């Protein structure tokens, strides 16, 4: 099963050429990590599965758009999953907060958390190490936005900070992350 960026890049090129077997291999190599991202945002296994399926349809359709010079395959695919999950959340905004919903404890699976598998990957460790270089507030704002899918307005409310401050924290934090992650 391919796991290195080079192998994933080769698979993505094959998917871009319409090779179904390559998509199956790409799915096998990446779906657990991508599912972890979807589950972290969606908070429900069934919804995360739908997001992952939609994301792989999008990967199949847009594989030719992938540019290795702009980032790794996992980063590109993770952004597709994340954006798809956030779109679903915004479209189907529940009337009750997920934290206040009855029965939320029954949503969690007894299986190992796929998100933990994502954190174990080399790329995730690099991101985590770079996140540690940020000050606490910008780091928290970026984590809440990326992993929980909060909007800037929601971040301002949750972190009890002005919207302009939130925007500055996120913008500066992302610039520092980009500098840290560049080879």
């Amino acid at each position: 099963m391919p796991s290195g960026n080079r192998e994933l890049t080769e698979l993505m090129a094959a998917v871009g050429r319409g090779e179904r077997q390559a998509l199956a291999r790409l799915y096998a190599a990446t779906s657990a990590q991508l599912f972890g991202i979807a589950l972290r945002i969606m908070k429900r296994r069934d919804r995360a599965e739908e997001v992952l399926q939609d994301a792989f349809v999008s990967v199949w359709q847009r594989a030719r758009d992938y540019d290795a010079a702009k980032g790794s395959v996992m980063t590109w695919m993770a952004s597709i999953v994340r954006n798809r999950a956030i779109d679903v959340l915004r479209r189907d905004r529940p009337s009750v907060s997920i934290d206040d919903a009855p029965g939320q404890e029954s949503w969690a699976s007894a299986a190992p958390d796929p998100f933990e598998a994502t954190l174990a990957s080399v790329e995730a460790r690099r991101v985590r190490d770079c996140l540690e270089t940020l000050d606490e507030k910008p780091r928290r704002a970026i984590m809440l936005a990326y992993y929980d899918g909060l909007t800037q307005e929601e971040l301002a409310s949750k972190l009890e900070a002005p919207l302009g401050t939130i925007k500055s924290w996120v913008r500066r934090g992302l610039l520092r992350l980009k500098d840290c992650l560049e080879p």
Side-chain angles (χ1 to χ4, degrees):
M1 179 183 304
S3 59
N5 194 42
R6 188 179 60 126
E7 293 110 316
L8 293 178
T9 302
E10 290 170 3
L11 279 177
M12 184 61 72
V15 171
R17 293 188 300 269
E19 296 178 23
R20 291 177 185 262
Q21 289 294 340
L23 181 65
R25 290 186 61 214
L26 185 66
Y27 181 88
T30 62
S31 61
Q33 292 175 330
L34 296 173
F35 179 73
I37 294 168
L39 185 61
R40 173 82 172 153
I41 295 170
M42 300 306 297
K43 311 272 194 260
R44 287 181 40 194
R45 190 175 233 15
D46 60 332
R47 303 292 304 274
E49 289 169 353
E50 290 173 19
V51 165
L52 185 65
Q53 180 180 356
D54 289 346
F56 268 94
V57 169
S58 184
V59 166
W60 174 253
Q61 294 169 339
R62 296 177 41 209
R64 288 183 172 187
D65 297 339
Y66 170 70
D67 182 359
K70 292 182 179 177
S72 72
V73 170
M74 281 303 295
T75 301
W76 186 74
M77 292 176 62
S79 68
I80 291 172
V81 169
R82 178 185 171 275
N83 292 339
R84 185 75 49 167
I86 290 171
D87 288 346
V88 169
L89 285 177
R90 287 183 179 152
R91 185 183 63 228
D92 301 334
R93 202 51 97 181
S95 58
V96 177
S97 165
I98 193 80
D99 295 328
D100 298 330
Q104 74 181 26
E105 52 282 334
S106 66
W107 295 345
S109 168
D113 184 2
F115 185 69
E116 294 302 320
T118 302
L119 291 179
S121 73
V122 174
E123 194 169 300
R125 271 187 295 231
R126 280 187 63 215
V127 171
R128 191 173 57 234
D129 291 345
C130 288
L131 278 168
E132 291 299 320
T133 67
L134 300 178
D135 293 332
E136 180 202 349
K137 291 180 180 179
R139 178 177 58 243
R140 186 156 184 240
I142 289 170
M143 297 286 288
L144 287 169
Y146 187 80
Y147 291 115
D148 292 346
L150 298 184
T151 65
Q152 290 179 336
E153 291 79 10
E154 291 168 332
L155 287 171
S157 174
K158 184 165 185 97
L159 299 177
E160 298 176 346
L163 182 58
T165 301
I166 295 295
K167 289 180 179 183
S168 293
W169 286 347
V170 171
R171 183 175 38 81
R172 289 182 191 146
L174 290 175
L175 288 173
R176 286 191 56 199
L177 283 177
K178 180 182 176 197
D179 289 342
C180 180
L181 292 170
E182 286 181 345

